[in-house]
Amino acid sequence: MSRKAIPVEEAAKDWFKDPEFVAEYEALEEEFAIAEALIKARGEADMTQEEVAAAMGTTQAVIARLESGRNMPSTRTLQRFAKATGSKLRISFESGKPKSRAGH
C-alpha cells in the first residue's frame, strides 16, 4: 500500500482552520522573532556568542539559549544584550486587529 504525499502548504490550510493551532503558532512566532532579532544584532556587531557572553558577564551557553528562541528573556537581559552588541533595544506594540482602510 502506498501513501499519497500531501504538500505542506495543503496541510497547513487545514491546520490554520484550528484556532488552537493558530494561537500556538502565533505564540511561537513571537518567541522566534526575539531570537531572530538577537542573532541579527550580534551579526551586525560582528561578534561571536563568546564575545557577547564576555561583554555581558555570562557564558556562551546562556547566549546560545537566548538565541534558540526556546526561552523568553527578561527586558533586563535584552537591555544587557543590546549594550553588549552596541545596539539599542526598542519594544513596540502592534495592533492585533486588521487595519481598516479610510473611506471604505
Side-chain angles (χ1 to χ4, degrees):
M1 180 167 129
S2 67
R3 286 196 224 168
K4 181 183 173 196
I6 299 172
V8 73
E9 295 86 6
E10 215 173 289
K13 287 178 187 175
D14 288 335
W15 299 337
F16 279 97
K17 291 176 187 173
D18 179 358
E20 193 173 320
F21 175 85
V22 172
E24 289 295 323
Y25 178 84
E26 288 174 353
L28 287 175
E29 185 178 36
E30 290 172 12
E31 288 180 32
F32 287 115
I34 291 173
E36 183 180 0
L38 292 170
I39 294 166
K40 182 179 177 187
R42 183 171 59 79
E44 288 177 357
D46 196 26
M47 296 174 78
T48 65
Q49 288 182 342
E50 291 84 0
E51 290 168 333
V52 174
M56 288 178 66
T58 191
T59 65
Q60 179 274 330
V62 169
I63 303 306
R65 278 195 301 274
L66 287 172
E67 292 183 358
S68 75
R70 289 190 298 264
N71 298 51
M72 190 62 74
S74 69
T75 304
R76 183 173 182 270
T77 298
L78 293 174
Q79 288 171 327
R80 289 176 54 219
F81 193 99
K83 184 177 180 183
T85 57
S87 55
K88 264 188 171 171
L89 174 64
R90 298 219 171 177
I91 299 172
S92 67
F93 293 92
E94 297 178 9
S95 172
K97 300 176 188 174
K99 293 181 181 178
S100 63
R101 297 171 75 189
H104 294 278

